[in-house]
Each structure stands twice: as structure tokens, then as C-alpha cells.
Amino acid sequence: QKEVEQNSGPLSVPEGAIASLNCTYSDRGSQSFFWYRQYSGKSPELIMFIYSNGDKEDGRFTAQLNKASQYVSLLIRDSQPSDSATYLCAVNNDMRFGAGTRLTVKP
Amino acid sequence: DAGVTQSPTHLIKTRGQQVTLRCSPKSGHDTVSWYQQALGQGPQFIFQYYEEEERQRGNFPDRFSGHQFPNYSSELNVNALLLGDSALYLCASSLQVFNTGELFFGDGSRLTVL
């Protein structure tokens, strides 16, 4: 069974801090990785995708991938209350999602 | 540019009944995937349609079936409803069948089975 694991949280950080969200996956053959954000009562929306080992930065967001360790993470710098949401990690092909990590950014 | 649209938004059924959910993909997209999201859980992949055929399927029983039409819209059918089928059903469209591209989600259809 191919699994995607995330800490369900909740993760609480103060405004302006760095939020670190983690995801591990079991299928070593996975090639592409996605982070989606889901606000309460809304549908998921893509934040970032990453295909290669290393870091990928987009504004306040950085995705990190380590295929050897089967680990992908999302860093949110200068966290804002508007970042409060559930963050979903998804892995390629059949786009298997983790259960999501609920992030709360406190003013 | 219309995004992904789903109907109905909410519906209530009783055990044993059948339900059909509908989805129109984002303009220009040719692939539709369906997901089930239970409360507090991540979306669970049901199946994906491309060129009117089911291309990939998740771990769901045969009670779950689907269809894609020539205009790329899609239906999800669930037969013999169980209480455990109560969930938010999300439709997502994309341009690439093997999901190496971004998924665009609709707002979902919330199904309650009594």
C-alpha cells in the first residue's frame, strides 16, 4: 500500500515565524510532489510542486525534497494569519494525498 | 474563464439508494479525477477519466463508477449507499492524464447518507 504520511497537527506558530510542514511517502518510485492548501470549507488549491532533490522557493514558500529519505517539506516564512489552513501533501500519478496538517498562525 | 463546476452542492440520501454527481472541468482541460474527502481527512483518490475511459482507480469498491462525456464533463455514480459514504466528493480537472500537472478542484458535492 502506497502511503503518504503527515503530522495531523494542529501546528501553531506566532505571526512572523517560520512554519515547517513535513511529509513522508512510501513509494520510492514517486517522481513528483505537490503541496496544496485547503481553507476550512473550501477545496484544495496548489501552492507548490517539486520534482528534483533540493529546495524550490516561491515567495514566502520553500519546498524541500529528499528522495533518498523519502521526505518532502514545506517552509512558510513570515507566517501570516491568512496562512491558517490545512496543508496537504500529494504524491504523483494517482495523486495520493496525506491527511493534511492543520496550521494556525496566531497574531 | 469558468473553473471546475460541480453539482449538486449538497444532497441527502438514505442507505441503499443511488446517487449521481456531476462535474464540468476547467476550460481546456481533458482529464477529470474524483476524490472522496471525509471530515478531517485528506482527499482519497477514487478514479480518473481521460478520453472517456477510466485510466486509474484507487481502492474503492465497484459500487463507485463513473463516466466521461465527449465534452470532457464527468459523472460519479455510487450505488447501494452506505452510511460511510457520507463525505465531500471533489472533482479535479487537469490537462495531463498522468497527474504530473496541477489539479484544479471544484467546490465539491457534500453527500449525507442517513
Side-chain angles (χ1 to χ4, degrees):
Chain A
Q1 179 76 9
K2 300 175 184 177
E3 300 290 345
V4 180
E5 302 286 345
Q6 294 181 254
N7 291 328
S8 60
L11 174 65
S12 181
V13 300
E15 184 174 357
I18 296 175
S20 178
L21 305 163
N22 304 314
C23 173
T24 59
Y25 59 94
S26 63
D27 181 9
R28 189 170 287 277
S30 299
Q31 295 295 319
S32 49
F33 308 86
F34 303 82
W35 283 100
Y36 282 79
R37 176 176 62 199
Q38 187 173 26
Y39 291 113
S40 181
K42 301 295 184 181
S43 56
E45 56 180 346
L46 182 70
I47 300 174
M48 291 191 70
F49 60 87
I50 186 167
Y51 299 155
S52 303
N53 276 329
D55 295 357
K56 179 181 179 182
E57 186 174 319
D58 184 2
R60 296 187 295 113
F61 298 93
T62 299
Q64 299 175 318
L65 174 61
N66 184 326
K67 289 186 178 181
S69 300
Q70 295 175 237
Y71 176 94
V72 59
S73 65
L74 179 70
L75 301 178
I76 306 175
R77 292 183 300 280
D78 188 23
S79 295
Q80 301 296 310
S82 59
D83 294 325
S84 298
T86 296
Y87 289 81
L88 299 162
C89 171
V91 178
N92 68 299
N93 289 359
D94 53 7
M95 199 65 81
R96 292 180 184 270
F97 282 84
T101 299
R102 186 157 56 92
L103 172 66
T104 299
V105 181
K106 296 187 175 181
Chain B
D1 179 24
V4 180
T5 58
Q6 293 188 241
S7 63
T9 55
H10 295 82
L11 68 167
I12 299 173
K13 294 285 187 178
T14 57
R15 282 180 298 174
Q17 285 190 312
Q18 179 264 344
V19 67
T20 297
L21 308 177
R22 296 176 177 83
C23 172
S24 292
K26 179 179 170 64
S27 178
H29 284 184
D30 57 8
T31 301
V32 172
S33 302
W34 286 93
Y35 291 83
Q36 179 194 68
Q37 187 173 28
L39 200 61
Q41 300 296 315
Q44 297 296 307
F45 175 69
I46 302 175
F47 42 54
Q48 180 185 74
Y49 277 84
Y50 172 70
E51 292 187 334
E52 303 179 49
E53 291 188 11
E54 183 182 295
R55 299 293 178 165
Q56 298 187 68
R57 189 179 181 94
N59 189 27
F60 278 80
D62 292 344
R63 298 187 297 110
F64 290 77
S65 63
H67 189 78
Q68 185 179 34
F69 300 93
N71 67 352
Y72 307 119
S73 67
S74 177
E75 288 182 349
L76 165 65
N77 301 291
V78 186
N79 295 321
L81 285 167
L82 304 174
L83 296 178
D85 295 331
S86 295
L88 179 68
Y89 288 84
L90 293 165
C91 169
S93 74
S94 58
L95 190 52
Q96 298 176 26
V97 65
F98 294 112
N99 283 319
T100 53
E102 176 180 359
L103 291 177
F104 288 81
F105 285 87
D107 290 336
S109 295
R110 183 163 296 282
L111 171 65
T112 301
V113 182
L114 302 177

